[in-house]
Every structure is written in C-alpha cells, then in structure tokens.
Amino acid sequence: MNTDSPNKVPATSDPRALRDAFATFTTGVTIVTTRNTEGAPFGVTVNSFNSVSLDPPLVLWSLAKTSRSLEAFQSAEHWAVHILSAEQEALSTRFARSSENKFEGIELESGIQGTPLLPLCTTRLQCRTAFRYEGGDHIIFVGQIVAFDRSDRAPLVFHGGKYAVATRKTPPLTLAPREGAPIDTRFGEEFFGYLLWRASQQFHLRMQPTLTARELTQEELFVLIPLFHKDGRSADAFCSTLADLGLGAATSAIDRLADRGLIRVETETRRLFLTARGRDEVLQVFAMTKAIESECLGQLGDWDSVSLKNLLKQFIVLTNPGLPHPWDAEETEPQA
Ligand SMILES: Cc1cc2nc3c(=O)[nH]c(=O)nc-3n(C[C@H](O)[C@H](O)[C@H](O)COP(=O)(O)O)c2cc1C
C-alpha cells in the first residue's frame, strides 16, 4: 500500500470523507424490526448487518445512539432482520426516516414472541439478542438466529449512498468473433449495437409464432397495445408518434385492423377506438407474450432480469432524443 497517497486523510479529521470511504463498501439493505415493552412495533433500515458465525448461528448490526428506536432494541429479547429485495426500495426509504407510523398499511406477519415480520423480502432472520456492545456512537447488537426463511428474490444493494441492483459476473459470451478477424471490423461481443439488436431479435423470434398464429404483424401489435392503454387517439397524431419511434407502417396496420374489426376509426374525427374484439385480442396476446417473457427471463434468473430491465430503462432514458412514450403519450396533431 502506498502510504504517501495524496488521498490519505487522518480518520478523525473529516467525518464526511470517512462516511464516503465507508460508502465504497457495497452492502445489501435490511430492515430490523422489534416490539418495545408496550408491544408497539419498531423498525430501522440498516446496512451495517453482517453474518458472524454458523455454529452457533450469529449475526450482527449496529444502531446509532441517536435512533428513536434505540430504547426498543435495547430492551428487546427478539428482533428480526429482513434482507430486502430489489423491489423494496420504497420500504427501505420509509424505514430510514424517523417517524411514528412506519408500519402503517403494511400487513405484518407475527414472528417469535410477536416480532413484526415484513412480507416479500429476500430473506428473514428471526433472532434472540445474544450480546450488546458499545461501538462508539453506535450500539452493536449480536443475535442468535432462531428461525429463518429465504427466497430467490433479487436483493436490494447499497453503494456510494445510492440504491443499486446486483448483477452476477458472467463468463465471456460464446459469441466471440472468429480468431484472426481484423480487430476493427469485429461485430463481436463488445459491439453494443450488435448485442442490443441480437437480444431484441432473439426475443422477437420467440414471439413470432404467437403473432403468426393470431394473424398479427409486429406493426399491428404496436398499434393495438397503445390503444389498449388509451384509445380515442387521433389517427394522424398517433401515426406520427409511431413513425418517430421507427414504426413507419402504422397507417396500413390501422387499415388492416379496422378491416378485421379489431379497431374502429371514427369517420368524422379520424379517432381510433379499440373494439371489444380488439380488446380481447390484446388480452390474449398479453397472456402469451408474458409467458414467453417469463420463460426467457427465467433462463436469466431473477437477479439478472431485474438488472437487465433496470439498465435498459436507464439506457432508454439517457439516450432518448425526445421520443414520446407510445403507451401514454398525449399526441399533438402534426402541423399541416
Ligand atoms: C441504506 C441505509 C442503511 C442504513 N444503515 C443504518 C445502520 O446500519 N445503522 C443505523 O443506526 N442507521 C442506519 N441507517 C439510518 C437509519 O435507517 C435512520 O437513521 C432511521 O431514521 C432511524 O430510525 P429511527 O430514528 O426511527 O430509529 C441507514 C439508512 C439507510 C438509507
């Protein structure tokens, strides 16, 4: 280690810098719950949690001495650690604020000696207090696990003061370019455009038999789905929105769908409405494509599905040149 590093700061001189240094340690996020002696529930968002021992099964976490919940935990014989799933960011935020009604509206389960248990977590560890230690401005709680349950839900992650999701490191793809191909003409695994295109292509290839069986084209589907979310759209504005998104063949798709009685074009206003048959058709396609999606994402696993969707959403937002969202865009009439 280079002790002359220009970033070296005496540990006591700058609490903010030390906090930032701690924050480079990536953790999961937990909520620890208990009841006070009057039976009121208490809970705190905690990332100081760690496993300690398998035999006996011990865990630890620490609570700031300023916490409103300190007294409840100091006197508690039991508490439960909830390892949060990637879907539970809002719950984490709620329990990270000092408030009287953190549990409002939550359907609690009852654990050992009535310990409040939160639903839909990745893992829950019910513990009996084994030791308590002074830890500077915190109290360190060590608990012996008396019961636990776990699921495969993707965990919530905390790094650098921000929530994140975990992605597994994968071995290199087997799509590597042929040995000896000139480096700058390789459309291999490092070419992002290729990866996006190929992933999208493979997903749509799986969907194709469903669409073919229902005699629908990709363009027709992209007309039906936005109308399912909001119909009564102006045909011209809607086509222009879809054209902006690269779906230029919407006009002919609209004609075909109208001929099949799946949509209705109001003669005077040229507004588009989904018919009852059209609505039914969308529901059928939804069910089928959801099944295909579950099958594809099932191959990827729960964690990586969450990460992939999260990254794609970020990528779409960051690179959006101003395109509307086709589902709920309030189209403006194209200028004549
Ligand atoms: C991700 C995250 C992790 C946290 N970890 C801890 C922790 O380990 N110990 C702690 O005392 N506070 C921690 N906090 C802060 C507490 O959740 C926060 O101070 C909470 O308001 C305490 O609630 P209370 O005052 O009602 O007891 C964390 C907050 C967040 C957002």
Side-chain angles (χ1 to χ4, degrees):
M1 193 180 118
N2 178 8
T3 48
D4 295 330
S5 156
N7 293 326
K8 196 175 149 206
V9 177
T12 49
S13 70
D14 185 349
R16 176 80 236 173
L18 185 58
R19 190 193 292 246
D20 290 348
F22 284 165
T24 61
F25 184 58
T26 306
T27 67
V29 183
T30 73
I31 292 174
V32 188
T33 58
T34 194
R35 286 193 191 274
N36 69 3
T37 44
E38 275 92 59
F42 280 78
V44 188
T45 299
V46 159
N47 72 337
S48 53
F49 166 80
N50 226 316
S51 57
V52 175
S53 159
L54 275 175
D55 186 16
L58 298 175
V59 295
L60 68 73
W61 61 285
S62 63
L63 183 61
K65 288 180 179 169
T66 50
S67 160
R68 260 187 73 249
S69 315
L70 184 69
E71 206 182 307
F73 282 103
Q74 290 272 39
S75 53
E77 211 178 310
H78 291 91
W79 34 264
V81 179
H82 303 76
I83 299 176
L84 299 188
S85 80
E87 315 290 323
Q88 292 178 308
E89 184 182 327
L91 201 64
S92 171
T93 305
R94 184 201 283 215
F95 280 82
R97 292 195 186 118
S98 270
S99 138
E100 302 252 308
N101 29 9
K102 291 183 182 178
F103 290 87
E104 203 173 272
I106 299 176
E107 270 200 34
L108 292 174
E109 292 162 43
S110 187
I112 287 161
Q113 287 200 343
T115 309
L117 293 182
L118 304 167
L120 304 174
C121 301
T122 299
T123 292
R124 301 187 297 194
L125 309 165
Q126 298 186 55
C127 303
R128 183 169 40 73
T129 307
F131 308 100
R132 276 189 291 267
Y133 300 104
E134 276 290 317
D137 54 10
H138 282 58
I139 299 288
I140 302 164
F141 293 87
V142 178
Q144 175 148 356
I145 300 168
V146 283
F148 71 94
D149 56 81
R150 66 172 286 267
S151 75
D152 288 329
R153 291 190 182 93
L156 185 62
V157 171
F158 201 63
H159 177 89
K162 293 198 169 71
Y163 292 106
V165 287
T167 310
R168 273 183 255 266
K169 290 268 283 174
T170 51
L173 299 180
T174 48
L175 300 170
R178 270 172 297 113
E179 279 300 313
I183 196 92
D184 47 0
T185 56
R186 285 178 183 180
F187 286 93
E189 62 189 63
E190 294 310 321
F191 182 54
F192 180 65
Y194 169 73
L195 294 176
L196 266 186
W197 171 81
R198 172 92 183 229
S200 162
Q201 224 28 34
Q202 287 185 193
F203 181 73
H204 286 108
L205 278 175
R206 288 224 197 172
M207 270 182 50
Q208 198 51 53
T210 303
L211 294 183
T212 309
R214 306 205 65 82
E215 295 178 33
L216 281 174
T217 64
Q218 204 70 252
E219 288 79 17
E220 288 163 7
L221 194 63
F222 273 91
V223 169
L224 285 176
I225 292 176
L227 287 180
F228 181 83
H229 286 273
K230 184 177 134 226
D231 66 359
R233 295 164 187 254
S234 135
D236 292 345
F238 184 43
C239 284
S240 137
T241 298
L242 291 180
D244 286 347
L245 288 162
L247 295 160
T251 316
S252 50
I254 287 172
D255 293 342
R256 287 195 302 274
L257 290 168
D259 287 346
R260 287 180 60 189
L262 298 178
I263 65 171
R264 180 171 60 79
V265 188
E266 210 169 60
T267 329
E268 271 188 13
T269 59
R270 296 259 316 138
R271 288 194 174 273
L272 306 174
F273 295 88
L274 210 55
T275 62
R277 269 188 56 209
R279 199 159 286 276
D280 192 48
E281 187 68 29
V282 175
L283 288 173
Q284 304 263 8
V285 176
F286 266 162
M288 289 169 160
T289 50
K290 270 278 162 210
I292 295 165
E293 182 182 311
S294 305
E295 193 189 303
C296 290
L297 293 181
Q299 287 178 301
L300 202 56
D302 195 18
W303 285 31
D304 291 339
S305 305
V306 170
S307 297
L308 179 62
K309 285 187 189 175
N310 174 50
L311 288 175
L312 285 174
K313 283 182 207 168
Q314 282 194 45
F315 183 76
I316 290 169
V317 169
L318 291 174
T319 60
N320 187 359
L323 298 177
H325 192 302
W327 277 207
D328 49 23
E330 197 54 64
E331 288 92 10
T332 45
E333 297 287 338
Q335 300 299 308

